[in-house]
Amino acid sequence: MRFIFLLTASLKSARAEACLKYVFSARMGGHQVAFYLAGDGVFCAIGKHPSSKLSDLLSNGGEIYARKEDLEARGLLSQVLAGVEIPSDFYDKLIEDVMEGADRVMSF
Amino acid sequence: MKSLTLYLLSGPYTSQCTDIACELAQRALEKGYRVNLFLYIDGVHVPKKGQRTLKFPNVENRLKKLVPKGLSIKACVRCASARGYVEGEVPELETDTFPTTQYVEGASITEIYAFPAWIKESDKLISLGG
């Protein structure tokens, strides 16, 4: 199955911690995972943060998308983890994936 | 036609959730999907008329552009009544819609059961805030 996760909360929040558990659980279960980061969720996309294991997700075939405007607003654009995609129109891509590609959608 | 339901629990201007909901609604409507927006808890503040923002985007104006494009908006009666949006007496038995003059055209206050009905008919659900 293809799972889409949308995270808009910052990395240390209860919502983010719950979301990451589901993200990794889905991937370990052999499902396709697309992880969309917007708002404060883009803090998960930076490579320096020690709590973020998203590099493992990427190396295991997961997809991660972060919204450019939210990265820029937070001064994070130059710190994005290698492999995280930054779509030209994040919400357009998200809607397309949610409505046409996803079997399950979970938002946090 | 596929449909998307957005479930918004946060009020406007306290986080990006309302803006994200509007962006998602706009993109989905442009792609030809049916879009429902159900407002819960502080989300019921979102369609209030008379919002005057100073130098940042106005949610009311955003909704006024999305409703003609097909966005359906409903707010939970218990949440809306608690926040002063339901006018007149609230009947003991919940009916379909409840009176308010405080919401933008196209937004209504309804029983909570409208939300599971939308979930049932929708292809996807995205929740924001809370």
Side-chain angles (χ1 to χ4, degrees):
Chain A
M1 297 179 87
R2 182 171 176 80
F3 280 77
I4 288 181
F5 295 89
L6 169 64
L7 178 64
T8 62
S10 62
L11 190 58
K12 283 299 187 182
S13 68
R15 277 164 49 191
E17 290 180 8
C19 180
L20 286 169
K21 286 180 183 175
Y22 281 106
V23 166
F24 289 110
S25 180
R27 190 67 200 123
M28 285 173 56
H31 300 292
Q32 285 182 36
V33 168
F35 192 18
Y36 286 81
L37 304 170
D40 283 341
V42 298
F43 281 107
C44 288
I46 60 176
K48 287 195 277 188
H49 201 297
S51 302
S52 175
K53 299 178 183 176
L54 295 193
S55 54
D56 294 338
L57 179 67
L58 288 167
S59 61
N60 279 296
E63 303 161 37
I64 304 176
Y65 305 95
R67 186 170 179 254
K68 181 183 178 185
E69 291 82 352
D70 294 327
L71 288 165
E72 285 179 329
R74 291 158 178 79
L76 300 174
L77 203 51
S78 63
Q79 302 176 53
V80 176
L81 191 65
V84 172
E85 293 188 45
I86 303 175
S88 57
D89 190 331
F90 176 91
Y91 292 123
D92 188 88
K93 176 156 182 61
L94 175 59
I95 286 294
E96 186 69 31
D97 210 353
V98 163
M99 299 305 291
E100 302 300 334
D103 294 293
R104 296 287 185 270
V105 178
M106 297 182 76
S107 48
F108 294 82
Chain B
M1 180 191 297
K2 289 186 178 180
S3 66
L4 169 69
T5 291
L6 301 170
Y7 179 49
L8 181 58
L9 292 86
S10 295
Y13 316 120
T14 56
S15 72
Q16 280 183 258
C17 289
T18 303
D19 297 321
I20 293 172
C22 290
E23 293 282 353
L24 291 174
Q26 180 180 327
R27 297 300 191 288
L29 290 166
E30 288 170 352
K31 290 180 177 296
Y33 301 117
R34 188 181 305 123
V35 184
N36 306 316
L37 176 63
F38 195 87
L39 305 169
Y40 199 63
I41 310 181
D42 281 344
V44 301
H45 290 301
V46 168
K48 179 173 171 51
K49 288 195 295 191
Q51 297 178 38
R52 296 180 185 178
T53 55
L54 302 177
K55 299 182 181 180
F56 54 92
N58 184 304
V59 170
E60 178 186 357
N61 292 343
R62 197 91 196 258
L63 293 182
K64 285 178 177 177
K65 293 177 183 174
L66 292 173
V67 167
K69 293 182 178 179
L71 179 65
S72 298
I73 306 173
K74 293 182 180 180
C76 166
V77 63
R78 294 182 189 222
C79 302
S81 178
R83 289 158 180 79
Y85 291 109
V86 178
E87 293 158 4
E89 293 295 321
V90 179
E92 287 186 12
L93 290 176
E94 295 181 339
T95 59
D96 287 340
T97 60
F98 299 83
T100 185
T101 58
Q102 300 179 61
Y103 274 0
V104 298
E105 189 173 336
S108 62
I109 298 174
T110 68
E111 55 184 20
I112 184 63
Y113 308 110
F115 180 48
W118 265 354
I119 292 176
K120 187 177 180 182
E121 73 183 32
S122 293
D123 294 273
K124 294 293 186 320
L125 168 73
I126 295 177
S127 66
L128 294 161

